[in-house]
């Protein structure tokens, strides 16, 4: 038996070594291909191939993606997909969906896809049933606020993934909150002035506060909860008892929620292996469920699940998340472009860039691989974006005539054919065309160079399902990037250091021992200036 184990270990090691060698050989081939400047001549690429748009466009369910305005040809794409193969991507995708512990630093699986799988696991079904039961009780008026009023407003208290996912979805699916069952507001940062403006704009006696926090260890969220509890306790008629409560909690830390005074009946648990920035599909989606109702929330989940099917079962050359990821790898690691813009031309999607910033940069903003080795290659680009129409009047000048080039994802929604919607789409397409073709007026002294790449994603319509497909597409894109970079996209150790320093300073201020905190001279001086009371 020992001999067999030794042999199989040897074979595995040799195979792994061979795979690593194949991967690095493929990487070198791509580096050589990147030296050919003609790949950037977009007009040339089109004139050489009348079939280019068809060859580089793909469609799945409600999403059509046109990659043809990118610095790629079939040869480059084939080599990028070969790199993905040598990265063992197919096995890594299987591991993701099988519940293997791919979040290696936390020794956990990544269960965001399991949150929308049909059928759900028993524990996830239990969690979902609880979330739906709490929503139904409040929406029907069976459960009331602690002032014995029916709920009209939900205020979400949470930050990062405990707020951005619901925010992007509620904005997208409630037509700017017009057809929302309840009004949803967000209390994410600790700015007291924000709290006061929220409190002025709501009827606190008919408001349900949703404490959304996976860990219940985030100081901002705990401070906000404390501030709100102070306000509630100081409000006449506040009487939490029985099922009348003004607070519910969506968390993976139920004990902490109970210690904060939230009854078990009002706590909506979710799996600790569902990452914060991947958690809109879990109880963190409660504000969305309250805003759009059960039927559309299930459509949202089902849309994501259908994108999971596509990602898990489609060959690399037609697999949209893989193609999105590999094109981004081409720009990041072989064209050495460090920025990435995502520009939705639709007000309903205006919060998508902020959600995607956390998803990509908190997942892949890493410098060590899964084994803790320092990486020699680049990882996450700097991602930014805003509503396209607004961005045209803000930073598009740099896109057209800046010295630095960056890849852009344009996202449009076909939807209803109103003048405004058509105008938006015409603008989006014109900007992408101008970036690619430049200005052909040779007498124009400030002409635009053109040959600036972009990908255009078109949604047939914006529905709960198509939004679920879009968000899942980007989740899988980020996962594929992490496989190529051999990093763990499911932890975020880097953000803990800043929190630790802040906690230490706060604690020392509270017991008036700030002078004992070892700080650099700059921070020391800034703190003294900020905390000085005249
Ligand atoms: O930014 C760090 C982080 O842990 C994110 O990953 C998370 O979405 C956010 O803070 C909020 O964390 P929690 O949901 O545990 O309050």
């Amino acid at each position: 038996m020992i001999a067999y184990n030794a042999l199989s270990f040897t074979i595995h090691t040799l195979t792994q070594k061979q795979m690593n060698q194949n991967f690095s050989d493929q990487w070198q081939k791509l580096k050589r291909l990147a030296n050919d400047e003609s790949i950037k001549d977009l007009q040339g690429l089109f004139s050489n191939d009348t079939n280019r748009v068809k060859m580089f466009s793909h469609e799945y369910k409600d999403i059509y993606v046109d990659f043809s305005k990118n610095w790629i040809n079939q040869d480059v794409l084939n080599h990028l997909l070969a790199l993905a193969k040598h990265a063992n991507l197919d096995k890594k995708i299987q591991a993701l969906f099988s519940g293997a512990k791919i979040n290696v630093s936390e020794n956990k699986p990544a269960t965001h896809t399991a949150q929308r799988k049909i059928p759900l696991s028993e524990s996830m079904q239990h969690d979902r049933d609880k979330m739906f039961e709490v929503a139904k009780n409040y929406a029907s008026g069976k459960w009331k606020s602690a002032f014995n009023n029916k709920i009209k407003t939900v205020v979400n208290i949470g930050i990062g993934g405990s707020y951005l996912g619901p925010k992007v979805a509620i904005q997208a699916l409630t037509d700017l909150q017009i057809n929302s069952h309840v009004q949803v507001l967000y209390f994410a940062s600790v700015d007291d002035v924000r709290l006061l403006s929220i409190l002025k704009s709501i009827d606190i006696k008919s408001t349900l506060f949703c404490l959304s926090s996976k860990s219940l260890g985030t100081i901002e969220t705990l401070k906000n909860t404390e501030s709100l509890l102070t306000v509630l306790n100081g409000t006449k008629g506040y009487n939490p008892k029985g099922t009348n409560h003004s607070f519910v909690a969506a968390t993976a830390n139920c004990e902490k929620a109970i210690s904060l005074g939230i009854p078990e009946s009002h706590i909506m648990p979710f799996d600790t292996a569902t990452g914060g920035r991947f958690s809109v599909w879990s109880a963190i989606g409660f504000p969305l469920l309250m805003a759009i109702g059960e039927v559309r929330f299930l459509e949202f989940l089902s849309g994501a699940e259908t994108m999971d099917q596509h990602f898990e079962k489609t060959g690399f050359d037609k697999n949209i998340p893989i193609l999105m990821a590999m094109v981004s790898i081409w720009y990041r690691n072989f064209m050495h472009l460090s920025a990435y813009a995502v520009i939705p031309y639709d007000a309903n999607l205006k919060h998508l860039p902020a959600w995607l910033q956390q998803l990509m940069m908190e997942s892949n903003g890493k410098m060590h691989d899964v084994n803790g080795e320092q990486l020699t290659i680049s990882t996450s680009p700097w991602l930014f974006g805003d509503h396209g129409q607004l961005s045209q009047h803000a930073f598009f000048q740099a896109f057209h005539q800046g010295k630095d080039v960056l890849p852009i994802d344009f996202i449009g929604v076909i939807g209803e054919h109103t003048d405004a919607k058509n105008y938006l789409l015409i603008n989006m397409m014109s900007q992408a065309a101008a970036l690619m073709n430049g200005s052909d007026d040779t007498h124009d002294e400030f002409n635009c160079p053109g040959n600036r790449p972009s990908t255009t994603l078109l949604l047939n319509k914006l529905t709960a399902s198509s939004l679920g497909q879009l968000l899942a597409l980007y989740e899988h894109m980020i996962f594929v990037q992490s496989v190529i970079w051999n990093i763990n996209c499911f932890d975020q150790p880097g953000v803990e250091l800043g929190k630790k320093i802040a906690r230490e300073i706060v604690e020392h201020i509270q017991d008036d021992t700030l002078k004992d905190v070892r700080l650099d001279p700059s921070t020391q001086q800034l703190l003294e200036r900020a905390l000085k009371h005249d």
Side-chain angles (χ1 to χ4, degrees):
M1 190 58 177
I2 294 172
Y4 171 77
N5 286 344
L7 176 62
S8 65
F9 177 76
T10 309
I11 291 169
H12 172 76
T13 311
L14 282 176
T15 315
Q16 194 52 54
K17 273 204 177 116
Q18 188 51 51
M19 291 207 67
N20 294 345
Q21 187 57 52
N22 293 343
F23 182 86
S24 54
D25 292 349
Q26 190 58 38
W27 190 277
Q28 295 311 314
K29 285 177 190 166
L30 281 159
K31 278 176 78 172
R32 286 193 291 276
L33 282 175
N35 293 332
D36 174 0
E37 283 294 311
S38 69
I39 200 72
K40 298 176 184 174
D41 173 12
L42 290 172
Q43 294 174 44
L45 292 170
F46 274 92
S47 54
N48 292 341
D49 180 355
T50 52
N51 200 28
R52 182 174 175 82
V53 172
K54 190 171 179 331
M55 195 157 70
F56 289 107
S57 295
H58 298 269
E59 184 164 15
Y60 180 69
K61 299 288 180 188
D62 291 308
I63 301 180
Y64 172 85
V65 185
D66 176 1
F67 292 99
S68 65
K69 296 194 188 77
N70 280 293
W71 292 345
I72 54 171
N73 57 27
Q74 196 56 56
D75 190 34
V76 166
L77 195 55
N78 292 341
H79 279 92
L80 286 167
L81 296 179
L83 188 71
K85 182 168 81 60
H86 293 313
N88 224 358
L89 179 60
D90 52 351
K91 294 277 183 304
K92 299 288 176 64
I93 292 172
Q94 283 168 20
L96 168 70
F97 285 100
S98 70
K101 292 183 175 177
I102 54 175
N103 179 354
V104 288
S105 65
E106 298 177 354
N107 194 30
K108 290 176 187 171
T111 55
H112 51 291
T113 55
Q115 290 285 1
R116 58 226 188 188
K117 192 171 166 57
I118 302 165
L120 281 175
S121 70
E122 191 182 334
S123 67
M124 283 192 180
Q125 190 59 58
H126 167 270
D127 292 348
R128 181 162 323 150
D129 292 347
K130 178 70 175 295
M131 172 194 182
F132 278 23
E133 181 200 359
V134 172
K136 198 176 293 177
N137 286 337
Y138 274 110
S140 64
K142 182 180 172 190
W143 286 7
K144 294 201 174 53
S145 73
F147 301 91
N148 198 29
N149 288 353
K150 191 168 185 296
I151 294 303
K152 290 186 294 190
T153 304
V154 169
V155 172
N156 185 73
I157 310 168
I159 198 164
S162 294
Y163 130 86
L164 289 168
K167 188 172 182 184
V168 70
I170 290 168
Q171 174 73 22
L173 300 177
T174 58
D175 296 324
L176 315 179
Q177 297 243 19
I178 294 166
N179 62 3
S180 178
H181 293 267
V182 294
Q183 180 194 28
V184 178
L185 298 171
Y186 308 91
F187 189 25
S189 65
V190 290
D191 302 57
D192 293 339
V193 67
R194 182 89 182 95
L195 168 61
L196 296 178
S197 63
I198 285 181
L199 293 176
K200 277 205 191 95
S201 68
I202 60 173
D203 167 9
I204 195 166
K205 297 186 177 180
S206 305
T207 295
L208 179 64
F209 295 96
C210 179
L211 171 50
S212 299
S213 175
K214 177 177 171 184
S215 64
L216 277 177
T218 305
I219 292 184
E220 301 89 308
T221 301
L222 296 175
K223 277 189 72 65
N224 289 343
T225 303
E226 195 183 299
S227 309
L228 276 167
L229 279 169
T230 305
V231 170
L232 285 167
N233 282 307
T235 305
K236 190 170 178 317
Y238 181 62
N239 181 19
K241 71 176 183 346
T243 58
N244 283 9
H245 281 272
S246 294
F247 258 95
V248 294
T251 184
N253 187 346
C254 298
E255 292 77 52
K256 183 68 183 278
I258 289 168
S259 73
L260 290 170
I262 299 171
E264 196 279 329
S265 56
H266 288 56
I267 297 172
M268 300 169 283
F270 68 96
D271 181 22
T272 181
T274 297
R277 51 193 173 272
F278 296 85
S279 63
V280 69
W281 323 102
S282 71
I284 291 293
F286 177 77
L288 174 63
L289 174 62
M290 289 296 283
I292 65 174
E294 213 171 281
V295 170
R296 291 177 77 202
F297 189 80
L298 289 170
E299 280 173 15
F300 176 60
L301 292 167
S302 152
E305 198 274 337
T306 185
M307 184 53 75
D308 295 345
Q309 297 276 346
H310 170 72
F311 178 53
E312 191 179 6
K313 301 187 166 70
T314 306
F316 286 13
D317 62 335
K318 294 189 174 8
N319 192 308
I320 296 175
I322 294 178
L323 291 165
M324 293 277 289
M326 296 319 293
V327 168
S328 78
I329 294 288
W330 176 241
Y331 288 123
R332 190 75 189 93
N333 297 104
F334 300 97
M335 294 290 141
H336 308 297
L337 303 182
S338 56
Y340 187 131
V342 175
I343 310 288
Y345 265 79
D346 194 300
N348 292 316
L349 291 175
K350 73 178 184 180
H351 297 314
L352 185 86
W355 171 80
L356 202 45
Q357 274 184 327
Q358 186 196 14
L359 187 69
M360 186 177 286
M361 296 200 281
E362 192 167 83
S363 296
N364 291 338
K366 311 260 169 83
M367 59 195 298
H368 296 100
D369 69 16
V370 289
N371 305 310
E373 300 295 322
Q374 177 126 355
L375 290 165
T376 56
I377 55 170
S378 303
T379 52
S380 175
W382 303 113
L383 188 141
F384 71 100
D386 198 348
H387 184 319
Q389 196 83 88
L390 307 179
S391 312
Q392 280 180 228
H393 303 272
F395 48 77
F396 268 45
Q397 164 59 33
F399 285 176
H400 288 281
Q401 294 186 322
K403 289 290 286 177
D404 289 337
V405 181
L406 79 168
I408 301 168
D409 286 357
F410 286 105
I411 304 172
V413 179
I414 298 169
E416 69 286 356
H417 294 286
T418 60
D419 286 351
K421 179 66 80 175
N422 292 342
Y423 182 73
L424 267 178
L425 293 174
I426 290 164
N427 264 271
M428 178 180 82
M429 293 166 196
S430 306
Q431 289 294 326
L435 285 163
M436 175 168 82
N437 301 311
S439 48
D440 48 13
D441 175 357
T442 47
H443 303 299
D444 168 3
E445 56 180 313
F446 298 110
N447 78 335
C448 295
N451 287 322
R452 305 219 155 174
S454 66
T455 297
T456 298
L457 295 90
L458 269 186
L459 274 66
N460 297 332
K461 51 190 179 297
L462 188 52
T463 60
S465 172
S466 66
L467 183 72
Q469 295 165 39
L470 183 67
L471 301 191
L473 189 168
Y474 275 111
E475 284 182 342
H476 296 320
M477 174 194 173
I478 271 75
F479 174 67
V480 173
Q481 287 180 326
S482 75
V483 169
I484 301 300
W485 292 326
N486 195 27
I487 60 180
N488 177 6
C489 65
F490 297 115
D491 66 359
Q492 54 286 325
V495 295
E496 299 315 321
L497 178 60
K499 290 182 178 178
K500 178 171 163 292
I501 295 171
R503 253 196 311 272
E504 196 180 333
I505 291 174
V506 166
E507 282 156 11
H508 279 78
I509 289 173
Q510 278 160 351
D511 52 24
D512 197 17
T513 56
L514 187 59
K515 58 188 180 322
D516 299 344
V517 183
R518 280 179 302 101
L519 294 169
D520 60 83
S522 165
T523 308
Q524 185 73 39
Q525 193 269 342
L526 291 169
L527 258 178
E528 281 165 16
R529 177 175 287 269
L531 299 177
K532 184 170 65 180
H533 298 288
D534 298 333

